[in-house]
Amino acid sequence: MSNSTKYIFVTGGVASSLGKGIIAASLAKLLQARGYSTTIQKLDPYINIDPGTLNPYEHGECYVTDDGAETDLDLGHYERFLNVSTSQANNVTTGRIYQSVINKERQGAYLGKTVQVIPHITNEIKDNIQSLSKDGEYDIVITEIGGTVGDIESLPYVEALRQMRWEFADDCIVIHLTLVPYLQAAGELKTKPTQHAVKQLLELGVQPDILCCRTEHKLDLELRKKIAQFCNVVPEAVIEAMDAPTIYDVPLMMQEEELDEIVLKRLGLSRKSQPDLTSWNSFLHNLKNPTSEITIGLVGKYVELKDSYKSINEAFIHGGTANLCKVNIEWIHSEKITKANAKEILGDLDGILVAPGFGSRGITGKINAVQYARENNVPFLGICLGMQCAVIEFARNVMGWEDAHTAEISPEAKRPVISLMEEQKTVSDMGGTMRLGQYKCELKPNSNIYEAYNTEVIKERHRHRFEFNSAYLDDFKKSGMKATGFNPDTGLVEVVEVEDHPWFVGVQFHPEYKSTVDNPHPLFTSFVKAIMNNKNK
Ligand code: GLN
């Protein structure tokens, strides 16, 4: 076995949304389970520096890493599958590439040369791919190229990959994900779109090594041979990727198809060890054999696009599975909830989660949902803006401070119970300027949060500008809302809880980003458990 890092590229053809991220994460899981240290990187062809400034309707959830990078939601899949933290280096956008090249140009780094897409942009891309495995930290780097091959904007990435394949020869392979549609009228699976997708890649100088074919029906041997023949690959390199019951089934389906076998063979890596998927299999077994069931209302303003709350959804799958409990999520539009209809909309739920968010749209409905949960003893979890709404609701309806609000929406509020963080007061740029990434938090004993984590100091990820206004801490405490988690360095309130309630927790941080298959997040596990207990009462 050679000592050099191996590179696997995952590209997509025919259509978008074929699930490159899940295929990449599944392959990484299989390779990791064979003992290869593996990481995954996503290259996004848009001009934004990061998705932090994108509306979730555009791009789904913005995922945040330990180091405070605002990234593509596929990084969430990578972490959930691999149980390894990612960082800024795992997500590169065209904006970031160009920014770096332009900065270098201004510094005079190109010594009078004309700065061009080839070689300067492509070199920057290649550097970003290779720097991920500095000092040979990883045996294998999987790089997923966003978008569809043939799009103008992804051309420099495909060119960079073409060059790397040439430079790295046998240490670099390409997996192309395509679609094999079924035509009902003809009663047939059609291979032509795949042939054309490969042709398009060939026009750019790239021969794929493996084809992953998304399909709703099984690919028989004849069909695989046909695809192989037209696309210059061996039939074993035509991998069937059927629609899966859950994303967590995909690694096993890929193992069944021997995707990992052919990858290792092509890279000249040993196939002696078999993947150890013991813990993965036991998770899947528990996921599919629940002994109880609960329904949680997820109250948010982007619920039409469920990808906006991807990590929360997955964290409930992990936390539910840890309790052998099937968690149904009812997606509830915050704009629809009024005080008058709250019972009608929320009355049948076993638990309520108020989601993170920004801006005024839907905030009144969120506050109404909190009130309903608090007054009706429904277990409640508020995340970030959800926690801030819980504070506003408590101030208004328990403490009688009708004018309490967050400074985000009402900068002139007489009682800004949620206020702008000091360090934010001089910030004017929108991109990458929030309080981002992982910070410590100290938990107070005898609290739901302490019970959940069972430890005094935790680290969680953040993405916000506003905070609990500590000037009012004593007033809240006297009225029955206590702060049970603080940042040890700044004193910032990270957790609030309502006493005399079955389970009411609001957290300023985002626990959902750190839940993985191997490590279901303790807060989600505890929330589900509290709901089950409350239901059984
Ligand atoms: N908008 C709020 C803030 O900036 C909450 C952010 C969030 O929910 N991620 O503090």
Side-chain angles (χ1 to χ4, degrees), residues 356-358 383-385 388 408 463-466 508 510:
F358 296 84
I383 299 180
C384 207
L385 183 63
Q388 298 174 355
E408 177 176 5
R463 183 171 187 250
H464 63 121
R465 297 187 200 281
F466 295 84
Q508 184 57 72
H510 290 262

Side-chain angles (χ1 to χ4, degrees), residues 290-303:
T291 53
S292 60
E293 188 167 348
I294 57 171
T295 300
I296 291 175
L298 190 154
V299 179
K301 67 169 168 176
Y302 302 110
V303 289

Side-chain angles (χ1 to χ4, degrees), residues 64 354-359 363 366 383-388 406 408-409 418-421 424 434-435 462-467 507-510 512-513:
V64 179
V354 175
F358 296 84
I363 194 150
K366 284 186 171 179
I383 299 180
C384 207
L385 183 63
M387 171 265 202
Q388 298 174 355
T406 163
E408 177 176 5
I409 291 156
I418 304 295
S419 56
L420 188 62
M421 280 183 283
Q424 287 289 328
M434 281 187 255
R435 178 173 181 246
H462 299 74
R463 183 171 187 250
H464 63 121
R465 297 187 200 281
F466 295 84
E467 63 174 332
V507 289
Q508 184 57 72
F509 50 77
H510 290 262
E512 70 274 21
Y513 294 141

